[in-house]
């Protein structure tokens, strides 16, 4: 689930109205990855890759939630 090139931006989305928190990361490897959190019995967050969006060899520099 890791990026294969420099990560250029990361955006966090709180869990207000959602079941979990999310993070989006974009990279020069032409992908944007969406990560979701879950809480274990000890209360610690674990992040899992939910989706990868790939562009046609276009490095991504900025990501945001709206």
């Amino acid at each position: 689930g890791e990026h294969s090139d420099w990560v250029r931006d990361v955006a966090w989305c709180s869990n207000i109205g959602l079941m979990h928190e999310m993070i989006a990361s974009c990279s020069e490897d032409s992908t944007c990855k969406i990560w979701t959190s879950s809480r274990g019995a000890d209360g610690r967050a674990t992040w899992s890759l939910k989706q990868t969006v790939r562009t046609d060899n276009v490095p991504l520099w900025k990501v945001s939630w709206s």
Side-chain angles (χ1 to χ4, degrees):
E2 298 176 2
H3 287 285
S4 61
D5 206 339
W6 289 93
V7 172
R8 291 301 180 179
D9 198 22
V10 175
W12 172 73
C13 179
S14 69
N15 64 351
I16 297 174
L18 303 172
M19 298 298 292
H20 47 260
E21 296 173 306
M22 294 187 289
I23 292 176
S25 59
C26 67
S27 169
E28 287 191 47
D29 67 4
S30 304
T31 64
C32 177
K33 295 182 181 272
I34 310 298
W35 308 83
T36 59
S37 69
S38 60
R39 297 265 177 208
D42 61 1
R44 294 178 56 161
T46 301
W47 292 92
S48 302
L49 180 61
K50 177 76 173 179
Q51 184 175 3
T52 299
V53 179
R54 184 170 303 282
T55 62
D56 292 329
N57 296 319
V58 177
L60 302 177
W61 288 80
K62 186 77 176 158
V63 65
S64 66
W65 294 100
S66 66

